[in-house]
């Protein structure tokens, strides 16, 4: 049985930052995540892409942000249960919780913070009969490591931001990039559309529209695809086929925990502490909903901060916590480290 003060479900940026804010209050955290590594969407979907709305960072790579968060919370020694999904929850008579994963790992926590982003993700797959056989054999639904495509022939299918952005990025990595879309128009950022147009004009991207991949060929792995294009069929030799048709978010087992859910999101009390309809269970970040909700990382950071204050007050009734700026109070890590500003020096100047 893993014991902790706050059990965080979801190791995305909001879940990771919760560890820091809880640590300032001397609360221990443990994190459960269904992915094999921390980072959530940032690690799984777009680790190489820049994020522009993190305060103090004009631009920061998604993977870099995760690395920084992991470094920031290291002093508070969080525990991790990775590659497992929180499946059941039981509230005990004393108000604490037992959360069990799909692999049977049990966690005993005084409070639960659901920070699962948009939930678990499943890619929207094209209706091609034998596509499952080629998954991880040339068919990829995510671009986790661009180096996998170094000097390869790539076919990307899709008409949104992901298809456009990865076509642009991989144009300098792959041997050949072909972008396929069933319409002539793309639904993406104008800047991305213009970049694809420029790369097409330079001969760095092959563009086929309106077109659609209808079949896949290959013996042990992908060797080529067949497209419907301009009323006929076109065969392309390629090493990888990347269909980017979006993702379907699902709450998963959390949907059966008796929480108040609205449109695949968990309703919370945003007027106070982001607590759900079950006392002691909170929901923060993209997974929650309330009037005026914005699904932004910086909003998740704010919600995590207020939530941790609520948990502290709940676990320490009657005990007054005086908020101090870290610039004044410093930070005492659970690992014995101490970080504080240099003391002022009183000295005359000659």
């Amino acid at each position: 049985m893993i014991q902790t003060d706050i059990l965080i479900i979801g190791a995305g940026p909001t879940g990771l930052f919760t560890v820091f804010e809880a640590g300032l209050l001397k609360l221990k955290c443990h994190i459960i995540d269904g992915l094999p590594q921390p980072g959530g969407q940032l690690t799984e979907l777009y680790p190489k892409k820049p994020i522009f709305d993190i305060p103090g960072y004009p631009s920061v790579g998604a993977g870099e942000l995760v690395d920084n968060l992991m470094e920031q919370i290291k002093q508070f020694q969080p525990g991790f249960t990775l590659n497992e999904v929180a499946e059941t929850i039981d509230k005990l008579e004393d108000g604490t919780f037992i959360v069990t994963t799909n692999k049977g790992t049990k966690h005993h926590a005084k409070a639960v913070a659901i920070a699962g982003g948009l939930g678990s993700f499943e890619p929207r797959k094209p209706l091609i009969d034998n596509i499952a056989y080629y998954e991880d054999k040339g068919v990829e639904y995510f671009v986790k490591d661009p180096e996998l495509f170094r000097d390869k022939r790539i076919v990307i299918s899709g008409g949104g931001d992901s298809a456009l952005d990865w076509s642009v990025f991989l144009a300098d990595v792959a041997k050949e990039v072909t972008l396929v879309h069933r319409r002539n128009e793309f639904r993406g950022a104008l800047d991305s559309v213009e970049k694809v147009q420029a790369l097409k004009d330079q001969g760095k991207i092959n563009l086929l529209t309106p077109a659609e991949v209808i079949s896949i060929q290959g013996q042990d792995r992908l060797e080529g695809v067949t497209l419907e294009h301009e009323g006929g069929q076109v065969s392309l030799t390629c090493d990888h086929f990347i269909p980017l048709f979006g993702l379907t978010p699902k709450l998963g087992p959390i949907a059966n925990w008796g929480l108040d859910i609205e449109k695949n999101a968990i309703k919370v009390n945003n007027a106070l502490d982001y607590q759900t309809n079950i006392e002691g269970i909170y929901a923060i970040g993209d997974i929650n909903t309330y009037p005026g909700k914005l699904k932004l990382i910086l909003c998740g950071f704010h919600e995590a901060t207020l939530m941790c204050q609520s948990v502290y007050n709940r676990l320490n009734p009657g005990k007054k916590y005086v908020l101090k700026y870290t610039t004044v109070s410093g930070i005492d890590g659970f690992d014995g480290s101490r970080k504080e500003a240099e003391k002022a020096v009183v000295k005359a100047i000659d």
Side-chain angles (χ1 to χ4, degrees), residues 245-316:
F245 298 145
L247 301 165
T248 302
K250 294 184 178 181
L251 280 178
I254 292 174
N256 303 316
W257 287 8
L259 300 167
D260 194 356
I261 295 173
E262 179 182 281
K263 295 181 180 178
N264 212 42
I266 302 170
K267 294 178 70 174
V268 295
N269 174 12
N270 70 303
L272 185 61
D273 56 9
Y274 306 98
Q275 197 160 191
T276 68
N277 58 305
I278 300 176
E279 185 182 356
I281 301 180
Y282 302 78
I284 52 178
D286 287 357
I287 204 164
N288 74 14
T289 185
Y290 52 82
K293 169 69 179 181
L294 293 176
K295 294 183 183 294
L296 296 172
I297 293 174
L298 61 93
C299 294
F301 291 165
H302 163 78
E303 294 166 11
T305 304
L306 297 187
M307 183 218 74
C308 287
Q309 296 288 326
S310 174
V311 172
Y312 178 87
N313 291 328
R314 181 172 172 271
L315 300 184
N316 300 278

Side-chain angles (χ1 to χ4, degrees), residues 5-6 18 20-29 110-113 272-273 275 279-280 282 303-324 334:
D5 293 321
I6 303 177
T18 301
F20 178 80
E21 288 297 322
L24 294 179
L25 300 169
K26 308 304 179 188
L27 298 174
K28 188 74 175 176
C29 292
K110 299 172 184 176
V112 175
L272 185 61
D273 56 9
Q275 197 160 191
E279 185 182 356
Y282 302 78
E303 294 166 11
T305 304
L306 297 187
M307 183 218 74
C308 287
Q309 296 288 326
S310 174
V311 172
Y312 178 87
N313 291 328
R314 181 172 172 271
L315 300 184
N316 300 278
K319 185 176 181 180
K320 182 70 174 176
Y321 173 75
V322 179
L323 177 67
K324 296 180 180 178
F334 294 170

Side-chain angles (χ1 to χ4, degrees), residues 150-180:
R150 174 72 63 182
D151 299 325
K152 304 293 186 181
R153 292 164 297 186
I154 313 297
V155 174
I156 296 175
S157 188
D161 284 316
S162 291
L164 292 164
D165 291 346
W166 282 120
S167 294
V168 171
F169 188 93
L170 293 175
D172 291 328
V173 175
K175 178 181 180 180
E176 181 180 88
V177 174
T178 300
L179 176 58
V180 177

Side-chain angles (χ1 to χ4, degrees), residues 85-191:
V85 176
E87 194 161 77
T88 63
I89 188 167
D90 297 292
K91 189 171 186 178
L92 307 183
E93 290 185 3
D94 63 357
T96 62
F97 301 88
I98 301 291
V99 175
T100 307
T101 70
N102 60 323
K103 295 183 180 179
T105 307
K106 292 183 179 295
H107 308 74
H108 184 208
K110 299 172 184 176
V112 175
I114 303 173
L118 295 175
S120 59
F121 290 95
E122 294 181 6
R124 293 192 178 99
K125 303 179 181 182
L127 299 176
I128 299 174
D129 290 339
N130 58 345
I131 193 167
Y133 174 78
Y134 294 100
E135 290 172 0
D136 298 322
K137 299 177 184 176
V139 172
E140 317 289 341
Y141 299 108
F142 306 108
V143 180
K144 297 179 184 178
D145 181 8
E147 285 302 310
L148 175 67
F149 309 102
R150 174 72 63 182
D151 299 325
K152 304 293 186 181
R153 292 164 297 186
I154 313 297
V155 174
I156 296 175
S157 188
D161 284 316
S162 291
L164 292 164
D165 291 346
W166 282 120
S167 294
V168 171
F169 188 93
L170 293 175
D172 291 328
V173 175
K175 178 181 180 180
E176 181 180 88
V177 174
T178 300
L179 176 58
V180 177
H181 184 38
R182 59 185 177 178
R183 297 186 181 91
N184 291 318
E185 301 80 19
F186 288 85
R187 291 193 176 188
L190 179 60
D191 179 63

